[in-house]
Amino acid sequence: MSGKSNSGGSGPRPEDFLDIDHQLSDEERDIRDTVRSFVDDRVVPYVGDWFEEARIPAELPGQLGGLGVLGMHLEGYGCAGTSATAYGLACLELEAGDSGVRSLVSVQGSLAMYAIWRWGSEEQKNHWLPGMAAGTTVGCFGLTEPDAGSDPGAMRTRARRDGSGWVLNGRKMWITNGTLADVAVVWAMTEDGPRGFVVPRDTPGFSAREIHKKLSLRASVTAELVLDDVRLPDDAVLPGVTSLRGPLSCLNEARYGIVWGAAGAARACFEAALRYSMEREAFGKPIGGTQLQQQKLATMALEVNRATLLALHLGRLKDADRLRPAQISMGKLANVNAALEVARSARQVLGANGISLEYPVIRHMNNLESVVTYEGTADVHALVVGGALTGIQAFR
Ligand code: TGC
Ligand code: FAD
């Protein structure tokens, strides 16, 4: 090897260049390390195959429940009640494994469980949340429709009163966990505004169909939900909200998790590129010893550290109850874009191996194309930030 190695001594550690670990409490580090070990043992060795075969193992929700990460930031009802920062660290580690695994956890904990926890009745919480925290009951969250994605206010799914109950008709599209789910939280327009409904999968008229031919987030179930004269009792409606504020409050939670998760996907790509650059030789020396590859590595390390610091800052704001939705939008916009750049750069460092599922990089890169679109596209978040800066709403 030509040139001098700088890996020893007291210099910064490549995996935590800015010593962000030092900013974490012992408990936060413990939670982070526990999730990291789970991901290293139960996800990383297998996820390339799951991605190739477009499946997620049926036992994964139960394993994640056992790990304690499902709804971990919620209080009571079998949930761990951790800080938002600890939840974020868990999302980072899960997404370093695969965005699909973090998606499963986000949809379960931040969307389906949070909707019930925040807007449900005491009976609904007691009935659904303990099993969902344990992973024995899987949930999904149906907001998007074939003709209403960025603009959920344009939803066509309707719920009308029928005696003491409700009848729902409509379709939901691109629903994570859809065919795995025992229960769907479905948002539908009523004469009072948008409302949430808790729909058990065996309700007549309800069906879920898996969406195939995805080239992104393949280790994740994505489905279409069909509601065809679905009759529900009165106690299936979430009583707490009759406005888009209902689903959007859930999205705040999940988007916050993505701010962290994207930093995890970026870290995994950076680490793969760094390792590869030290092993792969061209023109008689490791490619990591060339100026061009070092520039890529330095930029990747910078973006990973910057994304992690931003996530930690938002986590601290959330734990202090100071985090505003537009700040979450800024975080999601910044960190997912940064992760995509890191993934694309890492893919090039790996040369031809960069297109192979033997390495994690192209899987993360393809996954991030979903992450930049779901939970509000990059455009939507730019417009939320722009609206907050100018006071002028530019969507319409
Ligand atoms: P707008 O008129 O601004 O607001 C309607 C009502 O909602 C309130 N609100 C919020 N409440 C809580 N959190 C927020 N972030 C909120 N933003 C707005 C607002 O105060 C108002 O309340 P009220 O009580 O006065 O009625 O709404 P708009 O129709 O103009 O839409 C705004 C916009 C475009 C930002 C919003 O619709 C949006 O975020 N669109 C993107 C949709 C989206 O992100 N969909 C995600 C679906 S779920 C998913 O993708 C899961 S992926 C799987 C995974 O997570 O891994
Ligand atoms: P559109 O809203 O049609 O947007 C198309 C393009 O137009 C985008 O580039 C967008 O940024 C742009 N655009 C839209 N409005 C404007 C504007 N005003 N100004 C400028 N540009 C604009 N949804 C759920 O409800 N639950 C789930 O579990 C779920 N899981 C998903 C899993 C995956 C893998 C994917 C890919 C999506 C998932 N979604 C889910 C759906 C996701 O939230 C939507 O795809 C997303 O909100 C964007 O909606 P759309 O695809 O209809 O795009």
Side-chain angles (χ1 to χ4, degrees), residues 380 382-396:
V380 161
L383 294 178
V384 170
V385 173
L389 292 173
T390 62
I392 305 168
Q393 165 72 266
F395 286 105
R396 294 181 172 83

PDB file of all heavy atoms in Angstrom, residues 380 382-396:
ATOM      1  N   VAL A 380     -43.088  18.549  -1.902  1.00  0.00           N
ATOM      2  CA  VAL A 380     -44.064  18.930  -0.863  1.00  0.00           C
ATOM      3  C   VAL A 380     -43.337  19.544   0.331  1.00  0.00           C
ATOM      4  O   VAL A 380     -43.743  20.596   0.853  1.00  0.00           O
ATOM      5  CB  VAL A 380     -44.907  17.702  -0.435  1.00  0.00           C
ATOM      6  CG1 VAL A 380     -45.569  17.925   0.922  1.00  0.00           C
ATOM      7  CG2 VAL A 380     -45.965  17.394  -1.484  1.00  0.00           C
ATOM      8  N   ALA A 382     -40.358  20.966   0.390  1.00  0.00           N
ATOM      9  CA  ALA A 382     -39.796  22.278   0.021  1.00  0.00           C
ATOM     10  C   ALA A 382     -40.888  23.341   0.102  1.00  0.00           C
ATOM     11  O   ALA A 382     -40.662  24.461   0.586  1.00  0.00           O
ATOM     12  CB  ALA A 382     -39.196  22.220  -1.375  1.00  0.00           C
ATOM     13  N   LEU A 383     -42.101  22.975  -0.344  1.00  0.00           N
ATOM     14  CA  LEU A 383     -43.202  23.949  -0.324  1.00  0.00           C
ATOM     15  C   LEU A 383     -43.677  24.224   1.105  1.00  0.00           C
ATOM     16  O   LEU A 383     -44.095  25.353   1.417  1.00  0.00           O
ATOM     17  CB  LEU A 383     -44.362  23.465  -1.193  1.00  0.00           C
ATOM     18  CG  LEU A 383     -44.066  23.373  -2.698  1.00  0.00           C
ATOM     19  CD1 LEU A 383     -45.282  22.831  -3.455  1.00  0.00           C
ATOM     20  CD2 LEU A 383     -43.656  24.728  -3.264  1.00  0.00           C
ATOM     21  N   VAL A 384     -43.605  23.232   1.978  1.00  0.00           N
ATOM     22  CA  VAL A 384     -43.961  23.474   3.383  1.00  0.00           C
ATOM     23  C   VAL A 384     -42.943  24.454   3.993  1.00  0.00           C
ATOM     24  O   VAL A 384     -43.315  25.423   4.671  1.00  0.00           O
ATOM     25  CB  VAL A 384     -43.994  22.154   4.193  1.00  0.00           C
ATOM     26  CG1 VAL A 384     -44.111  22.441   5.685  1.00  0.00           C
ATOM     27  CG2 VAL A 384     -45.156  21.267   3.734  1.00  0.00           C
ATOM     28  N   VAL A 385     -41.660  24.227   3.718  1.00  0.00           N
ATOM     29  CA  VAL A 385     -40.622  25.131   4.249  1.00  0.00           C
ATOM     30  C   VAL A 385     -40.785  26.514   3.616  1.00  0.00           C
ATOM     31  O   VAL A 385     -40.747  27.544   4.314  1.00  0.00           O
ATOM     32  CB  VAL A 385     -39.204  24.565   3.989  1.00  0.00           C
ATOM     33  CG1 VAL A 385     -38.140  25.576   4.379  1.00  0.00           C
ATOM     34  CG2 VAL A 385     -39.000  23.258   4.777  1.00  0.00           C
ATOM     35  N   GLY A 386     -41.009  26.539   2.305  1.00  0.00           N
ATOM     36  CA  GLY A 386     -41.193  27.826   1.619  1.00  0.00           C
ATOM     37  C   GLY A 386     -42.378  28.594   2.169  1.00  0.00           C
ATOM     38  O   GLY A 386     -42.312  29.816   2.357  1.00  0.00           O
ATOM     39  N   GLY A 387     -43.458  27.864   2.453  1.00  0.00           N
ATOM     40  CA  GLY A 387     -44.640  28.509   3.023  1.00  0.00           C
ATOM     41  C   GLY A 387     -44.344  29.085   4.402  1.00  0.00           C
ATOM     42  O   GLY A 387     -44.790  30.189   4.738  1.00  0.00           O
ATOM     43  N   ALA A 388     -43.559  28.332   5.191  1.00  0.00           N
ATOM     44  CA  ALA A 388     -43.231  28.815   6.537  1.00  0.00           C
ATOM     45  C   ALA A 388     -42.302  30.031   6.472  1.00  0.00           C
ATOM     46  O   ALA A 388     -42.372  30.931   7.312  1.00  0.00           O
ATOM     47  CB  ALA A 388     -42.576  27.695   7.343  1.00  0.00           C
ATOM     48  N   LEU A 389     -41.432  30.068   5.446  1.00  0.00           N
ATOM     49  CA  LEU A 389     -40.490  31.201   5.332  1.00  0.00           C
ATOM     50  C   LEU A 389     -41.188  32.469   4.872  1.00  0.00           C
ATOM     51  O   LEU A 389     -40.885  33.571   5.347  1.00  0.00           O
ATOM     52  CB  LEU A 389     -39.374  30.854   4.326  1.00  0.00           C
ATOM     53  CG  LEU A 389     -38.392  29.757   4.741  1.00  0.00           C
ATOM     54  CD1 LEU A 389     -37.470  29.406   3.574  1.00  0.00           C
ATOM     55  CD2 LEU A 389     -37.566  30.198   5.950  1.00  0.00           C
ATOM     56  N   THR A 390     -42.117  32.315   3.922  1.00  0.00           N
ATOM     57  CA  THR A 390     -42.700  33.495   3.280  1.00  0.00           C
ATOM     58  C   THR A 390     -44.094  33.845   3.786  1.00  0.00           C
ATOM     59  O   THR A 390     -44.571  34.955   3.552  1.00  0.00           O
ATOM     60  CB  THR A 390     -42.826  33.263   1.756  1.00  0.00           C
ATOM     61  OG1 THR A 390     -43.719  32.147   1.544  1.00  0.00           O
ATOM     62  CG2 THR A 390     -41.484  32.958   1.119  1.00  0.00           C
ATOM     63  N   GLY A 391     -44.741  32.848   4.402  1.00  0.00           N
ATOM     64  CA  GLY A 391     -46.136  33.065   4.774  1.00  0.00           C
ATOM     65  C   GLY A 391     -47.073  32.929   3.582  1.00  0.00           C
ATOM     66  O   GLY A 391     -48.275  33.160   3.699  1.00  0.00           O
ATOM     67  N   ILE A 392     -46.519  32.515   2.425  1.00  0.00           N
ATOM     68  CA  ILE A 392     -47.351  32.355   1.220  1.00  0.00           C
ATOM     69  C   ILE A 392     -47.439  30.865   0.883  1.00  0.00           C
ATOM     70  O   ILE A 392     -46.415  30.218   0.632  1.00  0.00           O
ATOM     71  CB  ILE A 392     -46.762  33.127   0.020  1.00  0.00           C
ATOM     72  CG1 ILE A 392     -46.559  34.604   0.379  1.00  0.00           C
ATOM     73  CG2 ILE A 392     -47.660  32.976  -1.203  1.00  0.00           C
ATOM     74  CD1 ILE A 392     -45.729  35.371  -0.641  1.00  0.00           C
ATOM     75  N   GLN A 393     -48.644  30.342   0.857  1.00  0.00           N
ATOM     76  CA  GLN A 393     -48.888  28.931   0.554  1.00  0.00           C
ATOM     77  C   GLN A 393     -48.855  28.740  -0.958  1.00  0.00           C
ATOM     78  O   GLN A 393     -49.635  29.388  -1.674  1.00  0.00           O
ATOM     79  CB  GLN A 393     -50.268  28.595   1.151  1.00  0.00           C
ATOM     80  CG  GLN A 393     -50.934  27.356   0.717  1.00  0.00           C
ATOM     81  CD  GLN A 393     -50.255  26.122   1.278  1.00  0.00           C
ATOM     82  OE1 GLN A 393     -49.395  25.553   0.605  1.00  0.00           O
ATOM     83  NE2 GLN A 393     -50.619  25.721   2.475  1.00  0.00           N
ATOM     84  N   ALA A 394     -47.927  27.898  -1.457  1.00  0.00           N
ATOM     85  CA  ALA A 394     -47.741  27.782  -2.906  1.00  0.00           C
ATOM     86  C   ALA A 394     -48.334  26.513  -3.509  1.00  0.00           C
ATOM     87  O   ALA A 394     -48.169  26.263  -4.694  1.00  0.00           O
ATOM     88  CB  ALA A 394     -46.245  27.844  -3.237  1.00  0.00           C
ATOM     89  N   PHE A 395     -49.019  25.690  -2.704  1.00  0.00           N
ATOM     90  CA  PHE A 395     -49.549  24.434  -3.246  1.00  0.00           C
ATOM     91  C   PHE A 395     -50.643  24.665  -4.283  1.00  0.00           C
ATOM     92  O   PHE A 395     -50.729  23.971  -5.277  1.00  0.00           O
ATOM     93  CB  PHE A 395     -50.147  23.569  -2.119  1.00  0.00           C
ATOM     94  CG  PHE A 395     -49.097  22.944  -1.257  1.00  0.00           C
ATOM     95  CD1 PHE A 395     -48.838  23.428   0.010  1.00  0.00           C
ATOM     96  CD2 PHE A 395     -48.349  21.886  -1.736  1.00  0.00           C
ATOM     97  CE1 PHE A 395     -47.859  22.852   0.802  1.00  0.00           C
ATOM     98  CE2 PHE A 395     -47.360  21.300  -0.956  1.00  0.00           C
ATOM     99  CZ  PHE A 395     -47.122  21.799   0.318  1.00  0.00           C
ATOM    100  N   ARG A 396     -51.506  25.656  -3.986  1.00  0.00           N
ATOM    101  CA  ARG A 396     -52.687  25.838  -4.837  1.00  0.00           C
ATOM    102  C   ARG A 396     -52.563  27.114  -5.657  1.00  0.00           C
ATOM    103  O   ARG A 396     -51.959  28.067  -5.219  1.00  0.00           O
ATOM    104  CB  ARG A 396     -53.953  25.943  -3.975  1.00  0.00           C
ATOM    105  CG  ARG A 396     -54.242  24.649  -3.270  1.00  0.00           C
ATOM    106  CD  ARG A 396     -55.498  24.714  -2.440  1.00  0.00           C
ATOM    107  NE  ARG A 396     -55.808  23.371  -1.947  1.00  0.00           N
ATOM    108  CZ  ARG A 396     -55.234  22.842  -0.860  1.00  0.00           C
ATOM    109  NH1 ARG A 396     -54.381  23.547  -0.159  1.00  0.00           N
ATOM    110  NH2 ARG A 396     -55.520  21.619  -0.485  1.00  0.00           N
TER     111      ARG A 396
END
